[in-house]
């Protein structure tokens, strides 16, 4: 961007001191389009708020399937307390998944086929690392999608769920390294927020079913 | 980040603005470009300036929410800033480290909210004078470690519920809503860690306490108002208990955090504000 423009904008916003280079926002701009989602193919999420809820439903399916596997085939050396916590989290994710299934009714996407072949479920480190990825991604997804929701009650519901995902994320991080519950908050003390495109790009490796996310609001 | 939406939203609410198309287009263009050169950190401030230029004022209800949030963040920030000066109170370096991490976040939230309010043409509320003994509660907050953790947990769980209760007011303002959500989930991470710290307290372990809130359970009577209504298990008309074989009432209530009204939050926080 030419300097003259840059200067004008800064003057306009009165923010000269606050400038930091940031590629991240450019990636969120509507003109930049999505990630690896193929338009018009795969399972459609629907439109409007249904698309956002189906997006959440897809992620909850993924998380519920992951923890179901973790609890069914516990990693080597799992402690009693870890088993209790991971079972609780599984139950929460199943509650979220089934809530969305019911709330969406005939608008719900079908069950997704997941692919966890990249995760070694016998390894504590690998399982907790994957759990951290899923939980942080879930928080980022809800935080990033909140602004797309047009029905107030759905926004409240997303809020009720995202703080529970954040509690999971904090606990998983503490199990990996005590004290790291929120260590990736930015310098403003803010949590992650990701666009659906970025979230799907990160989750893609774990979802076999092709999803058409192009109808999600941008 | 689709900041242009702010303008289409404003336009819907103010037909006069669409008459000023040049101004709007100009503002949108500059707004988009600002998005490219500023980090997310600057967005609330930029948003404030831009709304003021394009619209003349910022909706008072959004400013009201930001000032409400600021009041709670002042409370938390001063609480943690004071706590970490009492180094001998903490049994381990990890415990002091956790409080320091949280102190930094709360101080950052205060700064961010103040700049957002100022940027939007509002006036940040003055920081109240706090009494962390809780007035008549007369708590040994800064001399007894279990009490310190209890108060911290109460503040964090309250903060989560307070932000959640205001999300819908911010719907018209996507950038501010996103920032509020990003603060909200960090508060939830804090709450989870503090509950975990209390669970593992060497002097008085609380094995029933989990990072998530089970029913409306809490083992310290004076902070019970923080958990009022957390035992709700009906969401949008759907009963969560029994929705699958794995989901009993405890799981159903843990899986969804509930919001608190502003009155309820201020009644809790009010114990720690000098009248």
């Amino acid at each position: 961007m030419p300097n003259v423009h840059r200067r004008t904008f800064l003057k306009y916003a009165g923010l000269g001191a606050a400038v930091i280079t940031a590629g991240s926002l450019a990636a969120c701009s509507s003109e930049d389009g999505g990630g690896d989602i193929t338009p018009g193919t795969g399972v459609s999420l629907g439109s409007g708020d249904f698309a956002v809820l189906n997006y959440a439903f897809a992620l909850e399916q993924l998380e519920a399937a992951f923890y179901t596997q973790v609890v069914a085939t516990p990693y080597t050396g799992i402690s009693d307390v870890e088993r209790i916590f991971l079972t609780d989290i599984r139950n929460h994710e199943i509650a979220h998944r089934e809530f969305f299934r019911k709330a969406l009714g005939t608008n719900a996407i079908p069950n997704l086929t997941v692919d966890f072949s990249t995760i070694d479920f016998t390894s504590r480190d690998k399982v907790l690392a994957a759990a951290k990825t899923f939980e942080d991604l879930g928080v980022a997804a809800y935080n990033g999608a909140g602004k797309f929701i047009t029905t107030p009650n759905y926004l409240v519901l997303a809020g009720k769920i995202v703080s529970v995902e954040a509690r999971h994320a904090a606990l998983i991080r503490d199990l990996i390294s005590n004290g790291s519950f929120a260590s990736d908050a930015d310098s403003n003390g803010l949590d992650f927020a990701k666009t659906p495109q970025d979230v799907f790009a990160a989750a893609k490796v774990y979802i076999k079913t092709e999803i058409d996310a192009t109808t999600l609001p941008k | 980040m689709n900041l242009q939406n702010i303008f289409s939203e404003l336009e819907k609410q103010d037909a006069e603005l669409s008459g000023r198309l040049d101004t709007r287009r100009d503002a949108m263009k500059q707004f988009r470009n600002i998005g490219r050169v500023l980090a997310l950190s600057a967005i609330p401030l930029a948003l404030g300036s831009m709304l003021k230029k394009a619209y003349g004022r910022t909706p008072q209800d959004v400013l009201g929410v930001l000032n409400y949030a600021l009041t709670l963040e002042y409370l938390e920030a001063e609480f943690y800033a004071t706590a970490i000066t009492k180094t001998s109170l903490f049994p381990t370096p990890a415990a002091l480290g956790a409080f320091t991490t949280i102190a930094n976040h709360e101080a950052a939230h205060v700064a961010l909210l103040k700049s957002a309010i100022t940027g939007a043409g509002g006036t940040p509320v003055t920081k109240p004078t706090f009494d962390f003994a809780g007035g008549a509660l007369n708590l040994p907050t800064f001399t007894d470690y279990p009490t310190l953790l209890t108060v911290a947990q109460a503040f964090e769980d309250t903060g989560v519920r307070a932000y959640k209760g205001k999300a819908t007011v911010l719907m018209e303002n996507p950038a501010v809503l996103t920032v509020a959500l990003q603060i909200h989930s960090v508060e939830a991470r804090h709450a989870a860690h503090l509950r975990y710290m209390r669970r593992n307290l060497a002097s008085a372990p609380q094995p029933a306490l989990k990072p998530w809130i089970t029913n409306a359970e809490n083992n310290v009577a004076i902070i019970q108002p923080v958990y009022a209504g957390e035992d709700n298990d009906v969401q949008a008309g759907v009963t969560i208990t029994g929705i699958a074989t794995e989901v009993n009432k405890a799981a159903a209530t843990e899986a969804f955090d509930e919001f608190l009204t502003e009155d309820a939050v201020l009644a809790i926080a009010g114990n720690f504000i000098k009248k």
Side-chain angles (χ1 to χ4, degrees):
Chain A
M1 183 181 299
N3 273 336
V4 60
H5 286 154
R6 187 184 149 104
R7 213 172 292 128
T8 308
F9 308 140
L10 295 181
K11 190 178 158 204
Y12 195 91
L15 277 173
V19 177
I20 320 170
T21 51
S24 58
L25 273 184
C28 309
S29 137
S30 64
E31 292 129 276
D32 292 327
D36 295 311
I37 308 297
T38 316
T41 62
V43 172
S44 172
L45 295 178
S47 61
D49 280 354
F50 287 133
V52 182
L53 296 185
N54 267 322
Y55 168 50
F57 182 36
L59 294 174
E60 298 293 352
Q61 285 193 40
L62 182 63
E63 290 186 307
F66 170 73
Y67 288 105
T68 297
Q69 182 69 47
V70 170
V71 172
T73 58
Y75 50 76
T76 309
I78 191 168
S79 71
D80 289 347
V81 168
E82 287 171 353
R83 196 192 296 264
I84 289 168
F85 283 149
L86 292 166
T87 304
D88 275 8
I89 297 176
R90 177 199 65 179
N91 298 347
H92 304 162
E93 306 299 7
I94 288 175
H96 295 162
R97 182 188 68 196
E98 296 309 313
F99 165 74
F100 281 115
R101 192 193 306 280
K102 278 213 171 170
L104 280 156
T106 55
N107 293 291
I109 56 170
N111 290 336
L112 303 177
T113 306
V114 296
D115 177 0
F116 296 136
S117 59
T118 56
I119 301 168
D120 176 1
F121 282 92
T122 67
S123 157
R124 181 181 188 273
D125 287 356
K126 297 286 167 41
V127 167
L128 294 181
K132 171 170 171 272
T133 299
F134 287 132
E135 296 297 348
D136 279 345
L137 194 63
V139 171
Y142 280 102
N143 282 349
K147 67 179 177 183
F148 297 134
I149 298 173
T150 61
T151 308
N153 281 345
Y154 293 158
L155 177 61
V156 173
L157 273 160
K160 288 178 173 203
I161 293 173
V162 66
S163 55
V164 174
E165 302 293 350
R167 291 174 190 272
H168 296 167
L171 185 268
I172 296 290
R173 284 168 160 266
D174 280 338
L175 292 180
I176 294 170
S177 173
N178 188 31
S180 67
F181 53 99
S183 57
D184 284 336
D186 71 12
S187 61
N188 287 306
L190 299 182
D191 213 323
F192 305 109
K194 282 193 159 76
T195 63
Q197 288 73 28
D198 287 348
V199 169
F200 274 117
K204 216 179 151 207
V205 62
Y206 306 109
I207 305 177
K208 250 189 187 152
T209 310
E210 196 178 355
I211 296 174
D212 172 17
T214 57
T215 56
L216 276 166
K218 282 187 192 130
Chain B
M1 181 169 286
N2 204 356
L3 296 169
Q4 301 91 300
N5 278 355
I6 296 160
F7 289 94
S8 39
E9 283 303 313
L10 286 172
E11 203 181 5
K12 276 183 217 154
Q13 289 164 28
D14 181 4
E16 196 200 335
L17 192 66
S18 29
R20 292 184 253 135
L21 266 183
D22 282 352
T23 310
R24 179 174 173 269
R25 196 173 298 128
D26 207 40
M28 281 180 64
K29 187 176 156 206
Q30 300 204 46
F31 212 76
R32 274 200 298 273
N33 287 323
I34 282 169
R36 294 219 165 77
V37 293
L38 297 184
L40 184 60
S41 59
I43 288 303
L45 192 52
L47 181 70
S49 305
M50 293 304 297
L51 283 182
K52 217 176 152 203
K53 290 207 184 260
Y55 203 61
R57 65 181 179 84
T58 296
Q60 287 306 308
D61 49 359
V62 172
L63 274 178
V65 171
L66 293 176
N67 265 320
Y68 167 60
L70 177 59
T71 302
L72 297 176
E73 297 290 350
Y74 277 141
L75 173 75
E76 291 184 314
E78 187 167 308
F79 169 75
Y80 289 104
T82 307
I84 60 176
T85 65
K86 320 282 183 192
T87 50
S88 61
L89 196 55
F90 292 89
T92 62
L96 178 58
F99 265 64
T100 305
T101 297
I102 301 175
N104 291 338
H105 292 163
E106 308 301 7
H109 294 166
V110 167
L112 183 66
L113 289 167
K114 280 171 93 169
S115 69
I117 292 165
T118 307
T123 306
V125 289
T126 310
K127 185 168 82 164
T129 304
F130 296 113
D131 168 18
F132 293 109
L137 297 175
N138 199 21
L139 303 170
T141 305
F142 294 124
T143 51
D144 177 65
Y145 183 64
T147 301
L148 182 79
L149 293 187
T150 303
V151 172
Q153 177 193 312
F155 285 168
E156 297 296 343
D157 277 334
T158 301
V160 173
R161 302 191 68 178
Y163 277 96
K164 207 185 311 294
K166 290 297 184 184
T168 56
V169 182
L170 303 177
M171 287 180 86
E172 65 185 69
N173 203 324
V176 172
L177 172 63
T178 302
V179 168
L181 288 171
Q182 290 175 281
I183 296 177
H184 167 250
S185 61
V186 165
E187 303 292 348
R189 288 175 188 260
H190 296 168
H193 186 75
L194 287 159
R195 298 172 69 91
Y196 191 54
M197 288 173 80
R198 286 191 65 220
R199 178 188 174 94
N200 296 326
L201 200 56
S203 58
Q206 322 267 336
L209 193 63
K210 293 173 176 177
W212 28 90
I213 301 164
T214 309
N215 298 311
E217 288 168 17
N218 155 61
N219 57 359
V220 181
I222 51 159
I223 64 167
Q224 192 56 43
V226 174
Y227 300 98
E230 283 285 2
D231 53 347
N232 174 43
D233 73 338
V234 179
Q235 305 295 345
V238 176
T239 301
I240 307 301
T241 302
I243 199 167
T245 54
E246 296 87 349
V247 184
N248 60 14
K249 174 85 190 287
T253 60
E254 289 166 355
F256 294 81
D257 281 342
E258 302 297 320
F259 68 85
L260 265 186
T261 63
E262 184 169 342
D263 284 350
V265 169
L266 293 179
I268 293 164
N271 289 317
F272 300 93
I273 296 173
K274 275 196 178 146
K275 307 294 184 298

